[in-house]
Amino acid sequence: MATSAVEEVAAVTVEEDLRNLHLSEEILPESYRINSAKEKQLVEIADNFQRQYLLLYPDRKPLLLCPVNECGVRKFVSTTLRPTHPGLCELHSWKDCSSFVADFLALQPLEPPTEVPSQLFSPTSVLRSQKATCFESSTLLCSLLLSLDYDAYCISGYASREICLLDQSLQQCPLLETQAKSVESQTSKQETKYGVRCQKELRSLFLLEQERKQQEAKAALLQEEELQEVNSRRVADPLRGLRVHCWVLVLSGKRRIQENFFIDPLTGSSFPTNDDNFQGIESVWNCFNCYVNKQECSSGCRDVLFDLEDPRLWEPVFHDAISQQQLSRAVQSKREDQILGRITKLTEIFPTKFRLLRPWVSRIEVSKEDLQTRFPGGKKVTHYIKAKLERLSPAVTKDGLVSRLTTYKDLDCTEVTAVKEWYQNRSDNLEERHFNKLENSTTEHFKPRRAFGLLFHKWKAVTSGTEREMRFDRPELDGLEQRVVSPQAMEESFKDRDDFLYFRHVTFGQGVSSKPCPLKTGLENLNVLKVVERFHRNESKPANEDVAKRVFLVPEMQIDLTYHLMDHRNIPSTRSITKPKEGQPFTNDMFSEFQVDRSQKPLGPLSGYRLAEELKDEEENVAVQIKASLKEVEKILDCREEEEKDLRVFSSLLEQVLAVKQKWVEACMLKEDHLMLRQKEMEVLVPLQKLVGCNDALSAEEANSYCMNFLDKYKEKLDEHTSFLEQNLETLQMDQEDESKDHHHPPAMSNEEAELWCHLCWDKKIQISAAQRRLEKHNKQMKDRCKAFLLNLQQNPLFAVHFVD
């Protein structure tokens, strides 16, 4: 009678949960709603075991053996596990499965927290509702791990309050820990025995050691103060050791697992079996059997042994059931017998063993959409010590944002110090963006192969303007690696250049603008005070003729050259040239040099003059390069602004590749349009060449008549181009219709032919889309092109006199 009362209460609570899940019993399989005869036998055996267990251990709590499912039917816990692999390559390891379960499911705390739940929903219902208790999350995770051939078990026991309630507010953020480790590994690189040793710093090693010790002591003091502040916020748990929790155990031996470990399904993190957060174990189970712990757990799980076949340590619910280890040994023995030519059956190996029934749960299905959506409602927020981590689904966000980490200065999380964001599948290839509130700086990281080869962009406000740092990857262009621009200076680093240049530093005058002068390109016109260039060694030249450093002192009109060191010399050769002012000749006083090798003859007046002329040309070339660098910075900023306005987020890598291909096709068509329109414009202006040689001045009426005639002819050419674009679009659309008809009645094709046919269809769609944009753009720009053509005509020297404003 007591059992029936429990079932009635459980059925009422299950009906309420079913209403929340929007499920009905009619849509669920029969195995969910009815127990077969053998399942009823399992429940009776488990109930009998429960009664004997409570008589032998009256101080221990009842075990979770036969909770009710979503249809109010009691099921044995081992039959709730369904080892079925979802068939997705994204779920191929325990880390992938645990992180998916932790992200996909929202926690429903146990009520009361000190008792095992009376109901346990199937993994299929849990996946549909995205809500689960720790027992249901562990059941889903264990089912996925068993399908991947892990020796996994669900554990019913006791854990700390932070683990049970998914409270990570007093823990370090794992992202911050990994970043700190990466920075530490980069800074503590050990010198190799045969590596190039850096030049020694002329500083006291004792003072350096003392400074290092002071910094370490200060860091340790700050860490200790923070730890004390965190510990002061920890409140004693009155239910310590009594909070019920369920997690997953993975035993060693399979899938190259060397040591046993725990997995918390709520966080997806792994823990050693002696972790203090897990304070006791009541029972463990997999799809073969359920085992009750007979060991002492006064010190948590530190001394618990997981030899489940030892009856002194673990008591199985079904004594004659086949265990996971026994089945593994039997399969190995059967394989050996097959090699030797003997045929054996499992019934011969286990003649009297009891085998559990097939699970009553339907096949677990995880779709691609589930992996993309990932989080309940598309977002999941986790609070840590002085940090908040927001993870978002790419399908929900419009800018491709997938994660945002906010760090704070205080434990109350009131003052923000930095915000770091991660992005995916953006059209501008942006991967990371970092806002440093303390430095007032912003940093962006990009994927390779984007416009200008930009990989890194950082900018921050300074007293006189904005300082920008950019890093590039374009070795085939100019070898530029890094550029730092501020109102006072610009630094550029290069790699693998033909002229062996690897560094350039430009110092600007006061009040210089980042925009270069549009007309003049001299260093003085760019308001440059000093340019320093450094070069690698060119082995094809002698050291005393190979320039290592070149300095342009613009106000002093002086150029200094420093050459590479010769063998066994400590001082380099130098030369200095002062440029003459306009109208003054070059004299010997304007040239000076220092030769380390006294056997070398000094340069004569003619050689010095030639060198001065060469350096003058080099100075003009450097001025052109500096202007181009400043102009490129401006173009990059305009490009980033346009990219943010026309941002696209792709759902997959294929869509991103197709978008890049479409952009390339449109660029090719744009060039073709430009050439064709330029050719039509030249055809219209052919009669203008005859008027150039005419000495007779044109009247105002004649000039206006010529301009209007040329404009009418140009409009005719534009109309011809419009008809050409329309005809091209119609041809592409007709070809696509013919291919679609063939698709409805396709001939027999091999896999390679079918794949090629799909690529051709995609190419055709891209071409049609590009042709449509080409036609729309041409129609929009017709009026502007006519106005520009007429303006150019009116500015022609033949007609300009009559059209002066």
Side-chain angles (χ1 to χ4, degrees), residues 47 69 159 166 202 263 375 418 478 532 564 598 705 775:
D47 289 341
N69 66 356
L166 193 56
L202 300 179
I263 303 177
F375 309 106
D478 55 1
V532 180
H564 283 278
R598 295 187 177 183
S705 176
L775 179 59

Side-chain angles (χ1 to χ4, degrees), residues 128-144:
R128 195 179 297 113
S129 66
Q130 288 192 261
K131 297 178 182 179
T133 62
C134 57
F135 285 84
E136 293 162 348
S137 298
S138 298
T139 301
L140 173 60
L141 177 57
C142 189
S143 299
L144 295 176

Side-chain angles (χ1 to χ4, degrees), residues 313-329:
L313 306 177
W314 299 90
E315 184 72 21
V317 175
F318 300 101
H319 282 273
D320 294 331
I322 303 174
S323 65
Q324 176 75 36
Q325 291 79 6
Q326 291 174 346
L327 186 60
S328 300
R329 290 194 294 266

Side-chain angles (χ1 to χ4, degrees), residues 650-664:
F650 307 105
S651 59
S652 63
L653 181 61
L654 175 61
E655 186 179 351
Q656 189 172 4
V657 171
L658 293 176
V660 172
K661 191 171 184 179
Q662 182 175 359
K663 191 175 181 180
W664 176 78

